[in-house]
Amino acid sequence: NSADSAAERKRKRKSRWGGSENDKTFIPGMPTILPSTLDPAQQEAYLVQFQIEEISRKLRTGDLGITQNQEERSPSPEPIYSSDGKRLNTREFRYRKRLEEQRHQLIVKMQTVNPEFKPPADYKPPVTRVS
Amino acid sequence: STLLDPGSPTEILCLLNMVLPEELLDNEEFEDIRSDIKQECAKYGDVRSIKIPRPVGQFPKRGCGKVFVQFESVEDSQKALKALSGRKFSGRIVMTSFYDPDKYLQDDLQ
């Protein structure tokens, strides 16, 4: 019945929390406690800037957040191979691509609020193909 | 550099950079997220209520992406603000702030 399946789900499921009070992640120069004096626009701009930096670090360090727990992963797509038989859409590739896309959206958002905004050095805007 | 003056503490804790609007669409996932947050916050004091604005259809509501937690006391909220800031949730770094209690009670979440 449904009560059983809910209990089973709870057992299998891992909490989304990571680290502990003594094991935190900090980005130098970017405080994670926000003053309540920021107005909503300032807070939003800071949040977007923080997220750009956060994703850049994931891409740089290769800590892409791939879960080790197989049960939590969604089904893999059909493999796509290159002409020499190497798989193109590996898990690592898919995670990286998703992060690149998220970062691109954030940078576009940031540039509309602040045209002076300098994107991270390793950022390349996606190529738009005309076909 | 990780600590800024958070301003006057209140019993309402606001958690940012934790959830994305699309993660709140599915009821089961929403309940899982809610209970994960409640469990962790309860370590710092009695949680009176939690508000997590959800998107309405494809439109994100105001305050969507933030989580608001009402504690029994300002001291508990202060403890949680310090303890949860910089922790990871779904792989993202949690940011914390205090929120205006009147706005919280009036559902003015932004």
Side-chain angles (χ1 to χ4, degrees):
Chain A
N1 62 34
S2 67
D4 278 353
S5 70
E8 193 180 337
R9 193 160 55 82
K10 206 151 258 169
R11 222 176 23 250
K12 271 190 192 158
R13 197 171 69 77
K14 219 176 119 257
S15 164
R16 284 168 170 74
W17 287 98
S20 72
E21 250 185 272
N22 307 312
D23 169 26
K24 295 186 173 190
T25 316
F26 289 114
I27 298 179
M30 301 206 85
T32 52
I33 294 181
L34 306 186
S36 45
T37 47
L38 295 181
D39 67 38
Q42 289 172 317
Q43 195 187 64
E44 173 69 13
Y46 181 71
L47 192 62
V48 172
Q49 203 184 333
F50 188 92
Q51 289 168 334
I52 292 171
E53 191 50 43
E54 189 179 29
I55 294 177
S56 296
R57 284 165 67 96
K58 287 182 183 173
L59 291 167
R60 241 181 356 247
T61 59
D63 176 16
L64 305 174
I66 298 174
T67 169
Q68 295 307 307
N69 186 354
Q70 191 127 12
E71 280 172 13
E72 284 173 29
R73 290 193 199 132
S74 50
S76 301
E78 284 295 311
I80 299 169
Y81 299 102
S82 66
S83 55
D84 54 352
K86 257 176 74 181
R87 182 162 179 190
L88 294 175
N89 59 343
T90 58
R91 186 166 294 123
E92 148 117 26
F93 175 86
R94 285 181 277 125
Y95 274 71
R96 206 168 261 285
K97 191 160 173 252
R98 193 160 64 199
L99 288 172
E100 294 275 12
E101 280 165 3
Q102 283 175 3
R103 185 168 70 156
H104 171 65
Q105 296 303 327
L106 292 165
I107 289 172
V108 169
K109 199 168 171 183
M110 201 65 197
Q111 282 168 334
T112 57
V113 211
N114 174 13
E116 303 281 290
F117 175 74
K118 296 255 181 310
D122 61 335
Y123 165 73
K124 282 187 216 76
V127 189
T128 41
R129 288 196 194 85
V130 186
S131 60
Chain B
S1 72
T2 54
L3 294 167
L4 269 186
D5 177 14
S8 311
T10 72
E11 69 269 30
I12 313 293
L13 176 68
C14 175
L15 302 160
L16 303 95
N17 201 30
M18 268 185 125
V19 293
L20 301 175
E22 59 260 36
E23 294 169 344
L24 305 172
L25 291 169
D26 179 71
N27 286 336
E28 214 167 81
E29 198 175 359
F30 180 79
E31 285 312 321
D32 285 349
I33 287 173
R34 200 187 156 83
S35 80
D36 278 350
I37 295 170
K38 193 169 180 184
Q39 257 181 32
E40 201 63 28
C41 285
K43 293 180 182 170
Y44 303 99
D46 287 327
V47 174
R48 282 180 80 179
S49 64
I50 296 184
K51 288 182 183 175
I52 309 175
R54 290 176 81 175
V56 181
Q58 55 175 319
F59 302 104
K61 228 168 99 176
R62 241 157 53 112
C64 214
K66 295 182 187 175
V67 173
F68 301 84
V69 183
Q70 181 189 33
F71 281 92
E72 206 57 64
S73 75
V74 175
E75 291 72 40
D76 292 343
S77 168
Q78 233 167 342
K79 269 191 278 172
L81 171 117
K82 291 204 184 96
L84 299 177
S85 187
R87 288 277 307 275
K88 278 196 171 185
F89 191 82
S90 303
R92 289 182 289 270
I93 303 173
V94 175
M95 296 165 127
T96 55
S97 174
F98 292 118
Y99 200 70
D100 185 330
D102 293 332
K103 286 186 179 164
Y104 179 83
L105 292 175
Q106 288 157 19
D107 266 329
D108 179 8
L109 306 172
Q110 54 173 338

